[in-house]
Amino acid sequence: MTFINYNSKEINCKIVYYGPALSGKTRNLKIIFERTPADHRGEMICLSHEDERTCYFDFLPLFLGKIRGFATRLHLYSVPGNVVYDTNRQMILKGVDGLVFVADSRRERLDENIESLENMKKNLESHGYDLARIPLVFQFNMRDFATSMDPAELARAINPDGLPQFLANAKAGEGVTETLKAVSQLVLKDLIKAK
């Protein structure tokens, strides 16, 4: 849920990167963190559990500008990809304003993408959220593999409603900024519409 800090004149929005294990969620956050000037970002905190990481940091994105004199501070989170950490996923989703579903484009990971997407929907419902009312964009990551699915085929499988989607190779930093800008703009549009 968006929080407005009148003292610092900031609108605080929470964006969560969701998806299967090792799909590139943490890599997205690390790229954004590295590309953000130090004076516009907080510290990145990563909690690790074996192969899984939950990362968080906040920043003032320069590309969003100001809304009615208020700066927009984004709080970015990545959830652990493994369903074993479902309780952590649920906690991180609380108060979410926007979502990025990071899909692994490789054909052999399609079932994991579908399972993770269904898990995201279930966890949102457990908090009383309606997925149709939360800004959501898809990122089709891992585009640099021989087994990467055709984007249209992957979209039919996990994004049949035709929500915004972006091709990415997060390891190389490709598609990361475009994805973030799209979800940020949807969150702000939603916020303005609610006023």
Side-chain angles (χ1 to χ4, degrees), residues 156-168:
R156 281 192 299 276
I158 65 170
N159 184 18
D161 295 329
L163 296 174
Q165 61 192 38
F166 299 87
L167 303 181

Side-chain angles (χ1 to χ4, degrees), residues 5-186:
N5 185 332
Y6 290 95
N7 291 334
S8 64
K9 295 194 71 87
E10 288 180 355
I11 299 169
N12 291 268
C13 300
K14 182 177 187 178
I15 295 174
V16 175
Y17 282 67
Y18 212 99
L22 304 174
S23 61
K25 301 174 300 292
T26 298
R27 189 70 201 139
N28 267 273
L29 265 61
K30 287 183 176 181
I31 292 287
I32 295 163
F33 183 81
E34 291 166 5
R35 291 179 177 174
T36 303
D39 60 338
H40 280 76
R41 67 176 193 227
E43 180 182 349
M44 178 177 274
I45 298 167
C46 289
L47 308 170
S48 296
H49 313 279
E50 297 172 23
D51 292 354
E52 298 291 330
R53 289 175 303 278
T54 298
C55 292
Y56 158 84
F57 78 100
D58 66 280
F59 74 113
L60 288 165
L62 300 173
F63 61 81
L64 288 178
K66 292 191 175 203
I67 299 171
R68 297 185 182 140
F70 284 74
T72 304
R73 180 174 295 278
L74 297 181
H75 299 262
L76 301 184
Y77 291 80
S78 66
V79 299
N82 194 316
V83 75
V84 172
Y85 302 106
D86 199 43
T87 303
N88 292 0
R89 289 173 168 184
Q90 290 175 9
M91 288 186 335
I92 292 168
L93 280 176
K94 192 168 182 146
V96 68
D97 294 301
L99 293 160
V100 174
F101 187 85
V102 182
D104 187 325
S105 293
R106 294 176 287 181
R107 184 169 301 284
E108 61 270 23
R109 300 286 310 273
L110 180 59
D111 289 343
E112 292 170 69
N113 288 321
I114 293 169
E115 178 186 6
S116 185
L117 188 58
E118 289 304 313
N119 176 262
M120 181 181 78
K121 291 175 185 176
K122 180 187 78 139
N123 286 336
L124 287 167
E125 287 171 4
S126 75
H127 285 300
Y129 295 120
D130 177 2
L131 181 59
R133 303 179 130 240
I134 295 178
L136 169 65
V137 300
F138 286 82
Q139 183 187 82
F140 297 165
N141 195 23
M142 309 286 187
R143 298 300 311 161
D144 56 331
F145 287 86
T147 60
S148 293
M149 293 175 69
D150 176 72
E153 183 184 7
L154 185 55
R156 281 192 299 276
I158 65 170
N159 184 18
D161 295 329
L163 296 174
Q165 61 192 38
F166 299 87
L167 303 181
N169 177 357
K171 188 178 268 186
E174 298 166 6
V176 172
T177 303
E178 295 82 356
T179 303
L180 175 63
K181 282 183 179 180
V183 73
S184 302
Q185 289 168 346
L186 287 174

